[in-house]
Amino acid sequence: MHTNVNTLFEQLWESYLAVTPSAVTVHDLFDKTQGQEVVNDHIALRTFNLPGIGLSALAAHFEAVGYKACGEYHFVSKKLYAKHFEHTENPDLPKVFISELLLEQCSESLQETVCSLVANMDKDAVTQDNFLYSGRHWDIDYPTYQRLLQESEFAAWVAAWGYRANHFTVSNNHLSQFDSIEQINQAVKAAGLSLNTAGGEIKGSVEVMLEQSSTLADKHPVAFTDGERAIPSCFYEFAKRYPKSDGSIFTGFVAESADKIFESTNAR
């Protein structure tokens, strides 16, 4: 596992950029056009709750470079469980949000499909330095992807893309030229990108101490065994955090909002 946290995030970023061309547009919108350094609020990763590759197995890579679990979240309708992690010594490092699909709550056919895919993984892969940005470890055909998609978009996404950050997040709190998520949204739309409108363009509120929005995932080619198809890949999120009653900035997540952010990768 990585011993350098910065190297880990650099590699996660490169893996993300490789399938998310619009991320360059978003990053440049703030970095080059506005002269604003883009600070990453958090990243997110997805997996299945199977032995050896569940949430805790992914978390171990971050715990090895100083992260600790700080909150847990339940998404009943999507059959997901998640935790978020923060660095113990450096609060400026990105937070990490890891979610897993609770397979026992899914249909038998979905369980069998996922287990058959994962059975092709090298059992040692999960402990390798590059695991969190290693992509897919199995072959899959397009009809299998479509069948998974009918029941669980989350399952289909992981089956097609494997292990990588599904989004990075621009911290509104660190952008001096943008006072609000609404202003960011306007700039992003003016740059020609589409936003996730599930639950409204802005998810959350001042009352829950977190406002979020996100682009819709890029359509990017995937090599299925029966040919290449363009499907939703990854997206960019924007977050503004507000102070708690004690004056410190809220660092957690809001399940109701995160539930809608997941839909940034929905097929359309």
Side-chain angles (χ1 to χ4, degrees):
M1 294 187 185
H2 280 279
T3 55
N4 186 305
V5 66
N6 293 319
T7 302
L8 173 56
F9 278 101
E10 285 165 10
Q11 296 297 328
L12 283 161
W13 173 251
E14 291 302 322
S15 165
Y16 163 77
L17 281 186
V19 299
T20 321
S22 69
V24 177
T25 303
V26 172
H27 198 272
D28 287 354
L29 178 65
F30 302 105
D31 186 48
K32 293 182 178 176
T33 309
Q34 303 291 336
Q36 301 268 283
E37 181 187 359
V38 177
V39 173
N40 181 23
D41 180 86
H42 70 272
I43 66 165
L45 298 103
R46 300 174 176 181
T47 191
F48 303 113
N49 70 333
L50 288 171
I53 60 161
L55 191 161
S56 60
L58 274 63
H61 286 263
F62 293 101
E63 290 166 344
V65 289
Y67 277 78
K68 66 174 181 181
C70 292
E72 61 177 358
Y73 311 88
H74 301 272
F75 303 92
V76 177
S77 65
K78 289 182 172 63
K79 302 178 174 65
L80 305 176
Y81 172 69
K83 286 184 178 182
H84 98 266
F85 300 79
E86 298 176 27
H87 199 269
T88 53
E89 296 177 5
N90 185 353
D92 293 331
L93 283 170
K95 288 164 277 294
V96 176
F97 190 92
I98 305 175
S99 51
E100 62 182 6
L101 181 63
L102 305 175
L103 288 173
E104 67 277 6
Q105 296 181 16
C106 300
S107 69
E108 282 191 23
S109 63
L110 185 144
Q111 292 181 53
E112 289 171 3
T113 299
V114 168
C115 288
S116 68
L117 294 174
V118 171
N120 293 301
M121 279 185 66
D122 179 342
K123 296 295 180 260
D124 295 327
V126 72
T127 59
Q128 299 302 306
D129 278 2
N130 70 341
F131 180 70
L132 297 177
Y133 45 89
S134 59
R136 199 175 74 206
H137 291 256
W138 46 76
D139 290 331
I140 181 173
D141 58 36
Y142 188 63
T144 300
Y145 166 79
Q146 289 184 302
R147 282 198 304 276
L148 289 171
L149 191 59
Q150 288 175 357
E151 181 174 346
S152 168
E153 186 279 329
F154 185 102
W157 191 94
V158 179
W161 293 109
Y163 294 94
R164 63 181 73 243
N166 65 72
H167 68 269
F168 276 66
T169 308
V170 174
S171 168
N172 191 175
N173 298 64
H174 291 83
L175 294 176
S176 59
Q177 306 289 332
F178 291 84
D179 295 328
S180 66
I181 291 290
E182 189 173 26
Q183 287 182 357
I184 288 177
N185 287 351
Q186 289 170 350
V188 169
K189 287 190 287 188
L193 300 176
S194 298
L195 293 175
N196 168 2
T197 58
E201 285 188 355
I202 299 175
K203 298 92 167 80
S205 64
V206 177
E207 287 71 30
V208 296
M209 298 171 290
L210 176 63
E211 290 180 324
Q212 298 163 272
S213 68
S214 60
T215 64
L216 286 175
D218 284 3
K219 286 282 191 72
H220 197 78
V222 168
F224 292 101
T225 55
D226 51 344
E228 197 174 80
R229 302 290 183 104
I231 64 170
S233 58
C234 306
F235 60 96
Y236 225 134
E237 189 185 318
F238 314 97
K240 182 166 186 174
R241 297 181 176 277
Y242 292 91
K244 298 185 289 187
S245 57
D246 65 3
S248 64
I249 295 294
F250 176 69
T251 59
F253 292 84
V254 178
E256 185 180 353
S257 301
D259 185 82
K260 301 303 182 186
I261 293 289
F262 276 117
E263 296 179 21
S264 301
T265 54
N266 279 9
R268 58 192 187 281

